Amino acid sequence: MNLVLMPVAIGLGCDRGTPLATVVQALDAALAQAGLAREQVRVLASIEAKRDEVAFIELAAQGGWPLRFFSAAELAAVPVPNPSATVLRHMGTPSVSEAAALLAGQATAAQLLVEKFKHKGADGRNATVSIATYSSPLV
């Protein structure tokens, strides 16, 4: 029997300069929480301001995943379950990881499988992961 795995989109956020290990720990913990596997990931996404975030670039390269970026205005237009005044103050949008996952997956808030999963690494840096179903047609 051939098991078809549901594809997912990953939204990412982090403190500037967060090491790859902390982002990987956050991703793996969020996937485990939802009973998902890395093989189901189709795309990573974040805010334009993180375009040069080394850990995100390295994670995308390791997984062979495309990495998409959205403007603060695009992200701010997405209704999310956990908006943050702090994120709004620093990034210009009330959500990065949840909104990015939803946009990248072309999903609605009801298709958010993991809401704003926060992880603080041993290095003291914070990473946030959100997971949404990936509704885009496979190419």
Side-chain angles (χ1 to χ4, degrees), residues 1-124:
M1 181 169 107
N2 190 6
L3 180 64
V4 177
L5 299 176
M6 172 184 52
V8 297
I10 306 293
L12 298 170
C14 72
D15 294 336
R16 178 60 66 190
T18 298
L20 175 62
T22 296
V23 176
V24 167
Q25 289 165 1
L27 173 63
D28 288 343
L31 287 168
Q33 176 181 302
L36 300 167
R38 283 190 182 200
E39 293 74 28
Q40 292 172 261
V41 176
R42 293 294 175 269
V43 63
L44 305 179
S46 192
I47 191 168
E48 270 290 333
K50 296 287 183 178
R51 184 174 283 284
D52 62 347
E53 195 66 57
V54 175
F56 292 176
I57 294 165
E58 290 176 346
L59 180 62
Q62 278 185 6
W65 301 308
L67 182 54
R68 298 200 48 207
F69 296 97
F70 298 99
S71 70
E74 287 174 301
L75 295 170
V78 178
V80 296
N82 300 291
S84 165
T86 302
V87 174
L88 176 60
R89 190 168 57 253
H90 292 287
M91 303 305 292
T93 175
S95 172
V96 172
S97 70
E98 287 179 336
L102 292 171
L103 283 174
Q106 296 182 1
T108 65
Q111 294 168 299
L112 204 54
L113 304 173
V114 175
E115 296 179 5
K116 199 154 101 175
F117 179 89
K118 299 180 200 177
H119 173 75
K120 185 170 190 163
D123 49 43

